[in-house]
Amino acid sequence: MADEWSKFVNDSRIKCKYGDKCYQKNPEHHKTYKHPPAAHENKIKHDRNKNSRMKPYQKPDRPANKITESQESELISPGDSTASTTEPLKTNINKDIYETDTRADNQETNKPRENTEVIIDQNTQFYDKTDSNKTYKDLFLVEMPQDFFQFYKCLSEEKSIDQLLKTVNLQLIGPYDLLTGKLPITENKDLYLIHWRFFYDPPEFQAVLKKKGKSEYHIGYYRDDPCSDPKFLASNDSAKDYHIQPLSDNIFGAVYSFLKNEKKSSPFLSMPCQKLMEKVSKWASEYNYTLDEYTMKMRSPVARTLHGAGIVVPFDKKTQIGYRPLAESNASLKKMFAKLESAKSQIEKDEVLSQIQPVITYASIAVDECDFGTGLELGINLFCSGIKELESSAASSLCSAYSLLNRDTFNKIVQAHLKNRRKGPDMSIFK
């Protein structure tokens, strides 16, 4: 037994959180997680008493991993009323455990937000302007694509970039502050992860432009994986909702789309918008960037999410490992979130939380069985709710899924964001 225990300790696999009480039979689970040497004997005892505990989640019939064209509009539609592909699964929740978790969540969410604003004064030092991705990776944990830098060169033909963009109600934000020499140096590098990060921005979404003034409309890059190039640029207006609207696969197309709509809003904007549209179009043509609109037909998401962009995770069609549907549809979850948000007493809140808890439990079991996409989908949906009581569960689901999907950068971003999640049009941390 000593030799077996030594092998267990030196095993590089992840330690199963159920230890010697693990009930999993899925071979993929045992490839990923390690178990104590006595697990097999305890499992036999456990199986004899399995009626006294919650049964493991059974996988329902799976949909195809790609969203069909008929479903494409639902991916970006604010009114997602799609029926659940699975019936809600029923189980007996351990009341004591649930109440303990709820109290812990409430204690966590009732903590005051961190005050992370940094005041700029005469002693403030700034980073030098740079287009070196090494610095962007160091500060923002991701590299910026070439069109990000090309767009700045396009704007640099004018004497004042700020004045040019002001005429069309735009401003550069986020990582562009480093490119323009406006990014202050601070010892707490976590602050750069939330610099110009709006309330509903998931870790996959990085804002680089916003509409001037009190508007919360912003444009940013969307990445499925922090180590890969962005898939597209999209917009969000956090004053309205959490929906992410795809624009283009490059920033020239995204800005062109914005200008095309903005010029219609006021006769005073028509001429400056048209002028910048012509400049953007010229550069896009010269450097082979398309101005075409990006659609979800160009993606292969395994699941819908409330924000509309969907999620892309490794999925094995043959073994059906990687993703399974949540126990509740998006439409059903939205109704629960609405009830929780409108609840006027703790009793009402607890009632809704007890309805949400099984969904969290099933997703956790799915992750244990290597369906990591299920945990990611749930985490994103809980995050999109924007409800304080669900932030702890959102963080837990997202951090677990990101770690298992080797997307640890997103893990760091969401943790920093939830510590200082703010609403409003000015998401700069430097004042």
Side-chain angles (χ1 to χ4, degrees):
M1 180 62 74
D3 290 340
E4 292 181 6
W5 183 256
S6 178
K7 289 179 181 179
F8 169 74
V9 172
N10 295 322
D11 194 328
S12 61
R13 289 175 296 171
I14 302 169
K15 184 179 179 181
C16 176
K17 66 180 180 181
Y18 295 109
D20 58 5
K21 295 182 175 60
C22 180
Y23 54 78
Q24 303 294 344
K25 297 180 181 179
N26 190 324
E28 293 296 326
H29 172 84
H30 289 274
K31 286 181 182 179
T32 305
Y33 299 93
K34 64 179 180 179
H35 302 77
H40 181 68
E41 292 180 13
N42 287 326
K43 183 180 182 304
I44 295 175
K45 296 177 184 177
H46 170 75
D47 286 343
R48 291 173 184 167
N49 300 310
K50 65 181 179 180
N51 290 331
S52 65
R53 70 186 304 283
M54 184 180 69
K55 294 181 179 180
Y57 178 92
Q58 298 297 318
K59 294 188 180 183
D61 293 335
R62 296 173 180 267
N65 71 310
K66 290 188 178 181
I67 303 301
T68 62
E69 289 189 13
S70 63
Q71 295 169 322
E72 183 269 333
S73 61
E74 297 178 23
L75 279 167
I76 58 175
S77 171
D80 183 1
S81 58
T82 308
S84 174
T85 56
T86 57
E87 291 296 323
L89 299 174
K90 298 179 180 179
T91 186
N92 293 322
I93 302 175
N94 186 312
K95 186 177 180 182
D96 293 335
I97 293 176
Y98 167 69
E99 289 180 347
T100 300
D101 289 346
T102 301
R103 287 194 296 269
D105 286 353
N106 287 340
Q107 290 172 3
E108 183 70 23
T109 54
N110 287 331
K111 289 180 180 179
R113 301 290 190 188
E114 291 186 359
N115 183 10
T116 54
E117 290 186 359
V118 178
I119 305 299
I120 297 177
D121 57 29
Q122 59 183 2
N123 297 318
T124 301
Q125 294 182 315
F126 296 82
Y127 283 98
D128 293 332
K129 298 180 182 179
T130 180
D131 58 3
S132 169
N133 252 322
K134 184 179 182 300
T135 307
Y136 288 86
K137 184 74 176 288
D138 181 45
L139 300 180
F140 300 104
L141 303 185
V142 293
E143 295 184 352
M144 304 308 297
Q146 283 305 305
D147 63 294
F148 171 85
F149 300 105
Q150 287 289 356
F151 181 66
Y152 183 74
K153 289 180 181 178
C154 169
L155 299 178
S156 297
E157 288 186 336
E158 303 293 327
K159 291 182 178 180
S160 172
I161 294 176
D162 289 342
Q163 188 60 36
L164 170 64
L165 293 178
K166 185 178 180 181
T167 63
V168 295
N169 280 343
L170 271 181
Q171 71 178 95
L172 300 176
I173 60 172
Y176 271 122
D177 284 349
L178 178 58
L179 196 55
T180 57
K182 298 177 182 178
L183 190 68
I185 297 173
T186 178
E187 292 183 2
N188 185 1
K189 289 189 176 180
D190 280 354
L191 297 183
Y192 299 120
L193 304 182
I194 59 172
H195 181 49
W196 284 110
R197 183 162 292 278
F198 290 80
F199 187 79
Y200 289 114
D201 291 353
E204 292 84 354
F205 189 62
Q206 182 185 30
V208 293
L209 289 158
K210 82 169 290 282
K211 196 169 181 178
K212 292 274 306 174
K214 296 181 179 180
S215 173
E216 294 181 34
Y217 177 94
H218 54 288
I219 295 171
Y221 288 98
Y222 190 94
R223 297 172 171 86
D224 289 316
D225 190 304
C227 296
S228 302
D229 286 338
K231 294 299 180 181
F232 57 89
L233 281 100
S235 66
N236 168 258
D237 189 339
S238 55
K240 296 179 179 179
D241 52 43
Y242 45 72
H243 292 104
I244 293 174
Q245 179 65 45
L247 296 175
S248 178
D249 68 1
N250 68 86
I251 197 167
F252 290 95
V255 171
Y256 191 87
S257 176
F258 169 82
L259 295 172
K260 188 166 60 175
N261 291 320
E262 192 68 9
K263 69 180 291 188
K264 301 174 186 176
S265 65
S266 167
F268 299 103
L269 291 171
S270 180
M271 186 175 294
C273 281
Q274 182 60 40
K275 182 180 177 181
L276 186 53
M277 284 172 66
E278 291 172 1
K279 175 186 282 290
V280 166
S281 179
K282 179 183 176 182
W283 270 73
S285 176
E286 184 175 348
Y287 291 96
N288 297 318
Y289 291 113
T290 179
L291 298 179
D292 294 342
E293 179 184 352
Y294 187 92
T295 69
M296 285 302 169
K297 294 177 182 179
M298 302 176 186
R299 279 170 67 71
S300 298
V302 299
R304 306 180 185 99
T305 47
L306 288 183
H307 61 41
I311 57 168
V312 174
V313 297
F315 178 75
D316 190 317
K317 292 182 181 179
K318 186 176 180 180
T319 63
Q320 298 286 288
I321 297 296
Y323 171 78
R324 71 182 67 170
L326 292 174
E328 296 286 351
S329 68
N330 284 351
S332 179
L333 284 174
K334 284 197 287 187
K335 288 179 181 178
M336 293 181 190
F337 295 159
K339 283 184 180 179
L340 182 57
E341 201 162 20
S342 62
K344 296 180 180 178
S345 69
Q346 190 58 48
I347 293 177
E348 290 179 352
K349 287 183 179 182
D350 288 343
E351 183 180 348
V352 182
L353 288 170
S354 69
Q355 296 171 11
I356 297 174
Q357 184 61 35
V359 184
I360 297 173
T361 301
Y362 300 144
S364 178
I365 293 173
V367 170
D368 287 342
E369 295 181 347
C370 298
D371 287 337
F372 306 143
T374 308
L376 177 57
E377 181 185 18
L378 175 66
I380 289 293
N381 287 350
L382 294 174
F383 177 86
C384 285
S385 76
I387 299 173
K388 205 172 182 182
E389 286 83 357
L390 296 177
E391 283 188 355
S392 177
S393 295
S396 178
S397 293
L398 287 174
C399 291
S400 175
Y402 287 142
S403 294
L404 293 167
L405 289 166
N406 295 317
R407 300 175 183 178
D408 291 320
T409 289
F410 289 160
N411 196 335
K412 294 176 182 177
I413 292 173
V414 76
Q415 289 187 62
H417 190 186
L418 289 176
K419 285 179 182 177
N420 188 46
R421 197 175 184 188
R422 302 166 296 158
K423 291 185 177 181
D426 184 2
M427 290 296 102
S428 173
I429 59 168
F430 302 106
K431 307 299 180 182

